[in-house]
Amino acid sequence: MTKHSDESVAKKNFDIVIVGGGLAGATMALALAPLKLSIAVIEAHPYQQEQTQPSFDDRCLALAWSSRQIYQSMGIWKQLAQRDGDGFEAIKQIHISDRGHMGVTRLDHQKEGVPALGYVVESRVLGKILIEQMQHKENIHLFCPALIEQIQSTSDEVKISLKLESLPKKNNYTVKNLSARLLIVADGVNSKTRESLGIQINQRSYAQTAIIANIETEIPHQNVAYERFTDSGPLAVLPLTRHRCSLVWTVRDEQLKEIMALNDADFTQALQQRFGYRLGQINKVGKRASYPLVLMTIDNNTLAHQNRVALIGNAAHGVHPVAGQGFNLGLRDISALAELIVNEMQTYKSGDPGNKALLDAYWQWRQADIRQVTSITNSLIKLFSNQSTALAMLRNSGLFMTDIISPLKHAIAHEAMGSGMLQGKMSKMAVGQSLF
Ligand SMILES: Cc1cc2nc3c(=O)[nH]c(=O)nc-3n(C[C@H](O)[C@H](O)[C@H](O)COP(=O)(O)OP(=O)(O)OC[C@H]3O[C@@H](n4cnc5c(N)ncnc54)[C@H](O)[C@@H]3O)c2cc1C
């Protein structure tokens, strides 16, 4: 990280400061980099400590077709494709079922006329590419590891005091003052920056935790993603590179300790019971990790009073991973905000990426999509968590009817691909156009 060391940064007044250099923050910086604005990225966790980086971790992400388009417009997809077959795995079919009931819905890429319904990418692999790309951009300055000590936004600028850890000595800090015309908040669902600015949220725990692990199965996945609803929560088995599958198993909080404590053989057996034998025997289970699940939405009134602040990614919304929508939603935030900033700088030439009209237009644009994804994922969890026999029958016939009514299936497939009617206006990048 030599070029970006504290000393090498002559300029302390940036056009844009992004707090949080995880999946969303890093992607945002790269989407804006061709504009040649000066961009600072402040990341709390050292990128060198790969094993503990909280955003580029062991998670696998199901990226929708529109997310691929966004990364393709940015040139990132090409980098993933060049990774000798371990960059991504295509999802060609999605198989949705309700454990203990007959109804099943199947979505197929051929019926939608696309090469794939989505792709599965390892967060760590994507992170490596994003970090490398940021390090090669002259106009991106990385402050990492660094934390914000103080922040103040006014109608003219945002002032930030940074606490920089003077490595290698622990607990030895220097303070640096930065300013920006736009602050992009991307420090995740528990954003400290959002809190310091006084932006309030509505948050509710699902009382569920997602357990993730990579697994190997007797029968190859053949590019089918399985979403199975069970009495403790949904269970997803996604096709992954190198003949592996990625597991996301949602359990009730009270079950977590016991399931995490199982040895691999007992864990495999419990999982096999839940998932069944569609992929034959589960032969191997990799390292497990767990994530508590929350629903989080922004209080728009407290955001409306902010000057020069935009929220993206998990700092802007927290959704259940049931349909693998969280980061897809974040990518659509990024592509919308990037498009508005590029227009502002290139077409209107105001020279101000943080003006109020632009930021209001951004938040307004994103509302329909965020609301729909939050509400659909939430309703799915409610519908499939309920054990009443009447509801189970309704779900079962719902899955069965969806399977035979093609317009309904197309509509669901397009929501999964990130190009559905409910998402409102699509950004240029999400439909495969370049911004530059
Ligand atoms: C089990 C599970 C499965 C998922 N599966 C999918 C899926 O299939 N598809 C999908 O689209 N989404 C999925 N998601 C959601 C996805 O992981 C998130 O949407 C994504 O990680 C959000 O990225 P982010 O950069 O906004 O936030 P984060 O990943 O939380 O990153 C925040 C970054 O900010 C840094 N940071 C934190 N605080 C500060 C601070 N004060 N100052 C500076 N930096 C700070 C952190 O170190 C981190 O690097 C899943 C989530 C879970 C839990």
Side-chain angles (χ1 to χ4, degrees):
M1 220 147 292
T2 45
K3 137 176 129 59
H4 303 293
S5 70
D6 184 24
E7 291 69 28
S8 72
V9 180
K11 189 165 180 177
K12 293 174 193 153
N13 305 323
F14 290 92
D15 292 309
I16 298 174
V17 168
I18 301 172
V19 187
L23 284 161
T27 305
M28 186 80 242
L30 292 169
L32 293 173
L35 268 181
K36 301 292 174 212
L37 297 173
S38 56
I39 300 169
V41 175
I42 301 166
E43 166 57 41
H45 201 92
Y47 284 135
Q48 298 91 328
Q49 289 177 17
E50 270 190 32
Q51 288 314 311
T52 48
Q53 215 294 331
S55 196
F56 307 129
D57 59 6
D58 294 323
R59 253 172 296 185
C60 288
L61 304 164
L63 294 185
W65 173 251
S66 67
S67 296
R68 174 203 162 129
Q69 305 265 58
I70 292 170
Y71 273 137
Q72 194 146 327
S73 325
M74 291 171 58
I76 301 288
W77 200 258
K78 197 171 62 194
Q79 309 277 332
L80 278 168
Q82 283 165 358
R83 284 190 55 100
D84 254 358
D86 82 342
F88 54 79
E89 189 65 86
I91 301 175
K92 297 200 171 170
Q93 287 176 8
I94 301 177
H95 182 287
I96 308 166
S97 61
D98 189 5
R99 183 174 179 254
H101 304 278
M102 296 284 285
V104 161
T105 286
R106 302 171 193 84
L107 309 174
D108 193 309
H109 75 111
Q110 279 173 335
K111 301 218 167 88
E112 307 311 322
V114 285
L117 294 168
Y119 297 86
V120 182
V121 174
E122 285 174 85
S123 188
R124 199 182 295 288
V125 171
L126 178 58
K128 265 207 173 91
I129 295 175
L130 297 176
I131 295 167
E132 238 171 66
Q133 291 283 309
M134 284 199 294
Q135 285 170 339
H136 283 105
K137 304 284 178 206
E138 280 302 318
N139 57 331
I140 298 181
H141 301 275
L142 288 173
F143 292 92
C144 173
L147 281 172
I148 291 185
E149 190 166 66
Q150 254 185 4
I151 192 159
Q152 189 197 2
S153 75
T154 69
S155 54
D156 296 325
E157 62 178 356
V158 182
K159 288 186 184 157
I160 299 153
S161 328
L162 269 194
K163 216 160 112 179
L164 288 162
E165 197 175 323
S166 312
L167 292 173
K169 273 189 251 157
K170 273 248 166 252
N171 303 324
N172 186 6
Y173 295 99
T174 53
V175 173
K176 190 168 189 79
N177 297 313
L178 311 180
S179 75
R181 286 181 301 159
L182 169 61
L183 173 74
I184 301 180
V185 181
D187 54 351
V189 77
N190 299 316
S191 169
K192 286 267 178 304
T193 314
R194 195 183 55 208
E195 194 184 315
S196 315
L197 289 163
I199 302 169
Q200 285 173 17
I201 56 168
N202 307 302
Q203 186 161 338
R204 182 164 68 71
S205 162
Y206 277 109
Q208 290 182 342
T209 298
I211 300 175
I212 60 145
N214 292 339
I215 60 175
E216 286 178 16
T217 56
E218 184 187 4
I219 301 172
H221 55 61
Q222 292 178 328
N223 298 92
V224 180
Y226 296 90
E227 182 78 63
R228 189 157 172 74
F229 291 92
T230 78
D231 50 3
S232 65
L235 187 154
V237 173
L238 307 173
L240 188 56
T241 55
R242 292 190 269 125
H243 312 292
R244 298 166 301 159
C245 292
S246 153
L247 166 74
V248 184
W249 180 4
T250 310
V251 301
R252 289 194 296 273
D253 282 351
E254 67 270 19
Q255 299 172 301
L256 179 71
K257 217 167 152 188
E258 193 186 334
I259 295 180
M260 286 300 273
L262 293 174
N263 63 31
D264 280 358
D266 292 343
F267 182 83
T268 306
Q269 197 184 3
L271 174 60
Q272 192 93 59
Q273 256 178 16
R274 302 259 136 194
F275 180 63
Y277 286 83
R278 284 183 176 81
L279 292 175
Q281 205 77 42
I282 296 164
N283 290 331
K284 201 170 163 192
V285 177
K287 198 175 96 195
R288 291 169 234 164
S290 65
Y291 300 82
L293 303 177
V294 294
L295 169 71
M296 189 280 286
T297 55
I298 298 294
D299 173 322
N300 283 344
N301 290 331
T302 48
L303 179 62
H305 296 118
Q306 295 294 321
N307 289 301
R308 301 186 169 275
V309 173
L311 307 178
I312 61 165
N314 271 24
H317 35 72
V319 299
H320 195 289
V322 58
Q325 287 299 315
F327 187 50
N328 290 301
L329 203 53
L331 279 172
R332 298 200 288 272
D333 299 339
I334 292 164
S335 61
L337 184 57
E339 184 170 323
L340 291 168
I341 294 175
V342 170
N343 271 347
E344 188 71 30
M345 306 308 282
Q346 292 190 337
T347 311
Y348 309 124
K349 297 193 189 318
S350 77
D352 183 1
N355 81 58
K356 179 126 181 74
L358 183 164
L359 297 178
D360 287 349
Y362 161 67
W363 196 239
Q364 182 72 27
W365 182 351
R366 296 300 303 134
Q367 288 314 286
D369 192 11
I370 295 174
R371 217 175 307 134
Q372 294 301 344
V373 172
T374 309
S375 125
I376 290 172
T377 48
N378 205 26
S379 306
L380 273 176
I381 294 304
K382 276 196 192 144
L383 176 66
F384 282 92
S385 308
N386 197 310
Q387 292 312 302
S388 105
T389 319
L391 255 184
M393 280 168 67
L394 193 69
R395 287 194 310 248
N396 209 28
S397 54
L399 286 174
F400 177 68
M401 294 302 280
T402 309
D403 201 46
I404 55 175
I405 303 173
S406 346
L408 191 54
K409 253 166 96 155
H410 286 313
I412 294 176
H414 277 268
E415 293 308 322
M417 286 158 58
S419 55
M421 299 274 289
L422 298 174
Q423 282 156 17
K425 184 180 154 198
M426 299 283 283
S427 66
K428 283 187 184 167
M429 287 202 279
V431 295
Q433 294 171 24
S434 170
L435 279 186
F436 298 96

